[in-house]
Amino acid sequence: MASTKTVVVEAVDVRKNYGHVEVLRGIDLRVDEGEVVCLIGPSGSGKTTFLRCINHLERINSGKLMVDGELVGYRRHKGKLYELNLKQTASKRAEIGVVFQHFNLFPQMTALQNIVEAPIGVKRESKADAVAHAHKLLTQVGLSDKADCYPRQLSGGQQQRIAIARALAMRPRLMLFDEPTSALDPELVGEVLDVMKRLAGAGMTMVVVTHEIGFARQVADRVVFMADGVVVEAGPPSQVIDAPQHPRTVEFLRKVL
């Protein structure tokens, strides 16, 4: 029986190369609405590249990559792909929130100003609506008292939580996280993961590149183990993390657990 769930991300035989180096060698992946998918694997396996391809920060060389049923960064005409212009691509990206390893907050802006910048400038929200929503998001990430603080006055964990609030301010259909805790001191990791857990619990569709295996075990609906640009093994955490079948998965988890 066919699935009745809405497909948010669909990748079919996605390939990406830099010159003669093939980084993605045929990725097939589907992410349904409300699903949390964690990508794990060794460095250089193609996880971050694939994540960046989802919102066209990287161009794919072949295959099909769609978000909400639409090609990302391209339109198809008479069987050929044509790249969209920057304005058209930016419009689609506005529906996809991205949180990177590094916070990339504007240092000259307060936390509140960082959060309202894109809704006002890109989505043309009124300042009053954007500010009201930003205050709700600051409360959601546990930083309601930091609205007027500048990034330099915040810890790394607090800056990353502001970065999450900034991404959520665009009211995205999909959130992408690229190793969001890797730049944090160990004692600050938990506060960021807690925010992500609450997002997952609220039904946000999420694709997360992470080395936090405990988080993946607890929160992911599916775990995808990648190595050498391919999906080696995928399934629920109880299968991929606790009872892996492929020798590459077993070897990786033995090293990181």
Side-chain angles (χ1 to χ4, degrees):
M1 185 170 141
S3 173
T4 57
K5 293 183 179 180
T6 301
V7 181
V8 177
V9 179
E10 184 179 16
V12 179
D13 195 26
V14 169
R15 296 174 181 270
K16 169 68 181 176
N17 59 271
Y18 298 103
H20 297 295
V21 179
E22 198 171 22
V23 180
L24 300 178
R25 300 192 292 121
I27 301 294
D28 295 308
L29 184 66
R30 166 182 165 148
V31 182
D32 290 331
E33 186 173 20
E35 190 175 23
V36 179
V37 174
C38 286
L39 307 181
I40 66 171
S43 297
S45 59
K47 307 182 302 296
T48 290
T49 298
F50 176 68
L51 201 76
R52 290 173 64 84
C53 288
I54 292 177
N55 71 338
H56 202 59
L57 287 173
E58 298 283 354
R59 296 173 175 85
I60 66 174
N61 292 101
S62 64
K64 183 175 73 171
L65 186 48
M66 306 180 80
V67 174
D68 279 337
E70 296 181 8
L71 291 168
V72 180
Y74 297 92
R75 64 181 176 87
R76 190 182 299 276
H77 181 66
K78 295 183 178 179
K80 292 186 177 182
L81 289 182
Y82 297 88
E83 190 166 13
L84 300 178
N85 62 39
L86 289 176
K87 185 176 181 180
Q88 292 168 317
T89 300
S91 175
K92 189 62 185 176
R93 279 191 189 134
E95 302 170 12
I96 305 172
V98 186
V99 178
F100 298 100
Q101 296 180 31
H102 300 286
F103 328 122
N104 298 325
L105 299 176
F106 296 114
Q108 75 280 14
M109 293 183 179
T110 65
L112 182 69
Q113 290 169 335
N114 266 280
I115 295 169
V116 304
E117 175 79 3
I120 293 173
V122 178
K123 298 192 81 172
R124 304 302 180 191
E125 286 188 20
S126 71
K127 183 175 180 180
D129 286 346
V131 168
H133 189 213
H135 280 294
K136 290 179 181 177
L137 291 171
L138 283 166
T139 299
Q140 186 177 338
V141 299
L143 294 172
S144 58
D145 59 335
K146 302 296 184 183
D148 297 324
C149 292
Y150 290 90
R152 65 179 179 274
Q153 298 171 307
L154 302 171
S155 70
Q158 290 171 334
Q159 290 186 60
Q160 191 63 297
R161 284 187 278 161
I162 295 297
I164 293 173
R166 179 178 60 181
L168 292 172
M170 295 294 281
R171 296 178 169 86
R173 285 266 293 134
L174 167 68
M175 285 287 287
L176 308 177
F177 293 87
D178 182 16
E179 297 188 26
T181 60
S182 65
L184 299 178
D185 292 331
E187 66 269 21
L188 302 177
V189 168
E191 64 191 52
V192 173
L193 294 182
D194 285 343
V195 170
M196 294 171 65
K197 289 173 187 176
R198 290 197 295 273
L199 273 181
M204 174 61 73
T205 308
M206 297 163 56
V207 181
V208 185
V209 173
T210 185
H211 290 298
E212 300 290 340
I213 302 301
F215 171 83
R217 179 189 278 119
Q218 183 179 354
V219 178
D221 295 293
R222 267 186 306 135
V223 174
V224 176
F225 174 70
M226 291 179 61
D228 301 321
V230 299
V231 173
V232 175
E233 190 168 352
S238 59
Q239 173 190 318
V240 176
I241 295 176
D242 297 326
Q245 300 299 304
H246 196 282
R248 288 297 305 274
T249 318
V250 173
E251 179 188 12
F252 172 77
L253 291 170
R254 181 177 55 79
K255 290 178 179 177
V256 300
L257 291 177

